Amino acid sequence: EMLGADTNNIVMFCEDNNGYLRTLGEYGEKEDYNYGLYYHFDYVGGPKTSMWINTMPLQRTWDNMTTAYEYGVDDAWIVNVGDLKPMELPLTYFLDLAYDFETYGSSNPNSVDEYTKNWVKQQFAAADLSEEEVQEIADILTGYTDMNGATKPESLNAETHNVVNYNEVQRHLAEALRLEELADKYLAKFENTELYDAYYELVYYPAAATANLNQLWMYMALNQKYAKNGSVLANVYGKLVEEAMDIDRALTAEYNTL
């Protein structure tokens, strides 16, 4: 009785700390309770911490938050965002989805790509970007969040991607290199402009650092594979691991001086 809808109490559900719902009330019983959801973009604890940069694809947020809404979980949405600085995109999306569910929610199931492009236009309005340029910067944002959404950076290791089956390392390495190249393209475009810092922080660093970290672990996997086989190719990939570590330090140093 104390938890009835006529009180100020709210029953709070929680997802699994990775953006996936794990418990909801019975569908259609909303009239009996006030329901809310506690969500995570940043997480500290077991079995794995995630507190470096954004790892949440907006599609996952849309899917889970719209499901929650349809189950009547709409009295309070709380998101643990950790530090604000690397989480501008997912946080803005979460707040917009909550504030204007009619526009971004269940009635608009494929709106994430358009939302991301509009967000890029808003952040870089002074650049007067073409539609192709907007799309490519949006692709950078989507690319790195998809990569982190598949395996959070803190969970990567030399066994994450298989070096034998299905050309897995080669395919993922090609995607990481493509993402890095695309991010570099717009870093050059914004160099010596007033938008350089914004691009570096909002787009370039998370994308380039994500791509580089994935490369580091895949080079490590190839290094171990060839070392086990007694091949001198192990030395080539060992050198690439060292270079990736140097790149990571350089990216972070620049990020922290802007």
Side-chain angles (χ1 to χ4, degrees), residues 31-50:
E31 64 273 10
D32 296 327
Y33 299 98
N34 297 313
Y35 282 154
L37 182 66
Y38 182 62
Y39 202 71
H40 287 84
F41 293 148
D42 174 281
Y43 177 71
V44 180
K48 56 186 178 183
T49 289
S50 176

Side-chain angles (χ1 to χ4, degrees), residues 7-188:
T7 74
N8 292 323
N9 296 301
I10 298 176
V11 178
M12 294 296 294
F13 294 108
C14 182
E15 39 67 83
D16 66 351
N17 307 323
N18 294 290
Y20 296 104
L21 297 175
R22 58 184 183 183
T23 303
L24 286 172
E26 291 296 323
Y27 190 80
E29 72 170 15
K30 165 64 180 171
E31 64 273 10
D32 296 327
Y33 299 98
N34 297 313
Y35 282 154
L37 182 66
Y38 182 62
Y39 202 71
H40 287 84
F41 293 148
D42 174 281
Y43 177 71
V44 180
K48 56 186 178 183
T49 289
S50 176
M51 57 180 298
W52 176 37
I53 52 179
N54 178 33
T55 63
M56 185 63 70
L58 299 189
Q59 292 89 342
R60 186 184 304 172
T61 300
W62 182 91
D63 186 53
N64 285 270
M65 297 310 297
T66 55
T67 299
Y69 190 94
E70 292 299 323
Y71 271 76
V73 181
D74 60 359
D75 289 295
W77 285 5
I78 299 174
V79 61
N80 184 337
V81 73
D83 294 317
L84 294 175
K85 188 173 182 182
M87 301 294 187
E88 294 89 345
L89 176 58
L91 178 57
T92 304
Y93 181 70
F94 184 91
L95 294 173
D96 282 344
L97 183 62
Y99 182 77
D100 192 3
F101 192 85
E102 289 71 21
T103 296
Y104 300 110
S106 304
S107 65
N108 200 353
N110 296 304
S111 59
V112 166
D113 289 343
E114 192 65 30
Y115 182 92
T116 305
K117 287 192 289 185
N118 288 337
W119 192 82
V120 169
K121 291 177 183 177
Q122 183 183 46
Q123 309 314 314
F124 303 103
D128 193 24
L129 298 170
S130 69
E131 285 299 319
E132 181 181 0
E133 289 172 326
V134 168
Q135 181 66 65
E136 287 189 334
I137 294 175
D139 288 345
I140 297 169
L141 293 167
T142 301
Y144 95 78
T145 50
D146 283 352
M147 197 170 288
N148 286 340
T151 307
K152 293 183 181 294
E154 291 89 344
S155 299
L156 288 168
N157 57 58
E159 297 180 354
T160 300
H161 301 100
N162 196 291
V163 296
V164 176
N165 296 323
Y166 307 107
N167 288 322
E168 189 172 63
V169 162
Q170 289 82 356
R171 289 188 293 107
H172 284 270
L173 188 57
E175 174 58 20
L177 291 168
R178 184 194 72 83
L179 181 62
E180 187 176 69
E181 182 179 358
L182 194 56
D184 284 339
K185 172 182 175 180
Y186 286 93
L187 188 69

Side-chain angles (χ1 to χ4, degrees), residues 53 188 217-218:
I53 52 179
W217 283 113
M218 286 186 278

